[in-house]
Amino acid sequence: EVKLEESGGGLVQPGGSMKLSCAASGFTFSDAWMDWVRQSPEKGLEWVAEIRSKANNHATYYAESVKGRFTISRDDSKSSVYLQMNSLRAEDTGIYYCTNAMDYWGQGTSVTVSS
Amino acid sequence: DVVMTQTPLSLPVSLGDQASISCRSSQSLVHSNGNTYLHWYLQKPGQSPKLLIYKVSNRFSGVPDRFSGSGSGTDFTLKISRVEAEDLGVYFCSQSTHVWTFGGGTKLEIK
C-alpha cells in the first residue's frame, strides 16, 4: 500500500521560513518523481515543485510563484522528500500535499502565513 | 500557464443517474511525444485528491468501470454512469503536458 505522510506545517509570520517533510512507503521511492502541490480556497490546486529521480539527475522544477524562495530536496535513503520554504508570504497559505508524480497524494499539512 | 476550465461548477444528480463533466484547456494538450496528459481526480470532503483517470481515458488502479474519460486536443469529458453515494465530492481535471495545472473543480452532489 502506498503511503505518503506530510509533516512540518503550522503558523509562521510573513517573511519567515518553514520546512515540510514527506515520508513515503509502499513503492520504489528512488525511482519516483516527487511533487508538492498546494490547495487554498483562493487559488484552488496549484503545483509547487517537482524533483525527479537519480536517473534524471534529481532535476528540480518550480512554479514561478515560488521560484527563488522554495527548495525541494529528497533523501532516497530515508524515502523522504522535503520542501524548504523561505520568505513566506500570506499567499503561500494553504494545505500542502506531497505526491508521487500525482498518482498518490498524502493527507496534507496546513501552512498558515500570518502575523 | 495553461488554463483549465471545468463546467458545470455544481452538478446535482440523483443516485443511479449518469453524470457528465466537461473540461476545456486554453491550448492543445497533445505532447510532442504524441501523448495527451489529461487526468481526472476526485476529492471527497476532508480528503486529498485521488486519481481516477490518467492520459484521457485510462482508469487508475481500483477505479470502477462506471468512470470513463474521453476527448482530444482541448476538449475532454468525464462520465460517471449510475452515480453512487460514494462518488460524491469535487472532481478536478488536470494537465501535465505543459507546466502542471488544474481546473477549478466540479462539485457532484445529490439532487
Side-chain angles (χ1 to χ4, degrees), chain B:
Chain B
D1 287 355
V2 176
V3 177
M4 305 296 287
T5 302
Q6 287 181 237
T7 54
L9 256 57
S10 173
L11 184 54
V13 297
S14 298
L15 297 180
D17 281 357
Q18 175 174 281
S20 181
I21 300 171
S22 173
C23 177
R24 180 166 291 177
S25 57
S26 60
Q27 53 185 282
S28 174
L29 299 186
V30 180
H31 194 276
S32 56
N33 64 14
N35 289 319
T36 300
Y37 295 96
L38 183 284
H39 323 291
W40 291 95
Y41 294 86
L42 168 59
Q43 185 173 30
K44 297 181 182 181
Q47 296 186 17
S48 58
K50 301 285 192 294
L51 180 62
L52 296 173
I53 302 283
Y54 63 96
K55 289 195 290 183
V56 181
S57 59
N58 299 277
R59 276 188 300 276
F60 192 55
S61 174
V63 175
D65 61 7
R66 63 177 181 276
F67 290 90
S68 63
S70 63
S72 62
T74 61
D75 286 291
F76 304 91
T77 302
L78 175 71
K79 282 190 167 63
I80 313 165
S81 61
R82 306 180 308 279
V83 170
E84 298 185 6
E86 65 179 24
D87 301 336
L88 303 180
V90 180
Y91 289 79
F92 295 96
C93 62
S94 170
Q95 67 79 27
S96 57
T97 296
H98 312 280
V99 172
W100 212 299
T101 54
F102 296 85
T106 295
K107 187 173 184 179
L108 188 70
E109 51 194 3
I110 294 293
K111 191 182 291 184

Side-chain angles (χ1 to χ4, degrees), chain A residues 13-16 65-66 69 86-93 113:
Chain A
Q13 291 191 335
S65 58
V66 307
R69 300 188 298 123
N86 299 330
S87 303
L88 282 161
R89 306 166 180 166
E91 54 264 36
D92 295 318
T93 293
V113 184

Side-chain angles (χ1 to χ4, degrees), chain A residues 70-87:
Chain A
F70 289 13
T71 302
I72 189 171
S73 61
R74 64 191 294 161
D75 184 339
D76 289 347
S77 69
K78 295 183 179 178
S79 295
S80 293
V81 62
Y82 309 97
L83 187 67
Q84 176 68 46
M85 305 185 293
N86 299 330
S87 303

